[in-house]
Amino acid sequence: MSPRPWFVSAALVAVLSLATPMSAVAAAADDGPAACTVAGVAVPDGAPVPEQIPTVISCFDSVEEAEQFIEDGAPGDLEQVQSAGVSSRSAVAAASTVIVGKAWTGASRSGSALIHYGAGSGCYGVTFGFPSIVSGWDNNVRSAEGLNNCWSSQYDGTSYTGGKLTCTPYCATMGALAGKTSSIVYRPAGTWG
């Protein structure tokens, strides 16, 4: 199935709210995408994490569809990040796509999933930074996990500022940062944020 634009769903909910009883609107708002993917860029370990990365997001009806999209090379999405001059085309073409982490709107891997990915094999000598969290997940993350040799550091502020929590690699709950994540960095396992 092809990606479902998230903004279309939000616009539909807004239109329905004008003509639908409130209980039906609440049900429609909960029927958002099951998973969205966001492309990131690998930065050599120890180099500064970029503070500006284009947000390239695709949303799907299931986590499985989102993961398959990434496994298929995230056609069209990863190229948008590289075309913005963040990564070289040859590096993107030569590497496969890999999931570096997931964040959920509910505790213990429940709710909608935000799946972060990039080119390469994971956090082996590289870091992936996401200086802001896309709408719908900003200040809404309640559990998180780093994958493929990644630990995730969740930050209260954008551009990796404010309070932080490092998941080593999994946080079933976010403690004091529950519902406060605004940026995330995925670093090699054993590296604290």
Side-chain angles (χ1 to χ4, degrees), residues 21 45 47-48 54 60 64 70 88 93 95 97 99 126 129 135 155-156 167-168 172:
D45 197 26
F60 301 85
E64 293 77 19
I70 294 168
S88 75
T97 49
I99 298 171
V126 297
S135 179
Y155 292 86
D156 185 15
C167 299
T168 61

Side-chain angles (χ1 to χ4, degrees), residues 5-17:
W6 178 247
F7 63 89
V8 172
S9 297
L12 180 60
V13 170
V15 169
L16 289 175
S17 68

Side-chain angles (χ1 to χ4, degrees), residues 28-164:
D30 291 339
D31 193 32
C36 290
T37 61
V38 178
V41 177
V43 175
D45 197 26
V49 180
E51 290 190 27
Q52 292 187 344
I53 297 173
T55 301
V56 180
I57 182 171
S58 292
C59 295
F60 301 85
D61 293 329
S62 72
V63 170
E64 293 77 19
E65 287 176 305
E67 290 173 341
Q68 185 63 53
F69 174 72
I70 294 168
E71 186 176 315
D72 291 343
D77 283 12
L78 196 56
E79 293 84 359
Q80 289 180 51
V81 172
Q82 70 88 134
S83 70
V86 179
S87 178
S88 75
R89 182 166 197 71
S90 61
V92 172
S96 62
T97 49
V98 63
I99 298 171
V100 295
K102 297 180 181 178
W104 292 269
T105 56
S108 301
R109 298 182 181 109
S110 65
S112 295
L114 182 62
I115 304 172
H116 292 106
Y117 71 94
S121 59
C123 293
Y124 294 93
V126 297
T127 298
F128 292 84
F130 298 84
S132 62
I133 303 299
V134 296
S135 179
W137 281 271
D138 183 37
N139 294 320
N140 200 15
V141 172
R142 289 178 174 72
S143 58
E145 180 174 25
L147 300 166
N148 294 304
N149 197 54
C150 299
W151 282 4
S152 71
S153 293
Q154 315 288 314
Y155 292 86
D156 185 15
T158 60
S159 298
Y160 327 115
T161 60
K164 69 182 171 206

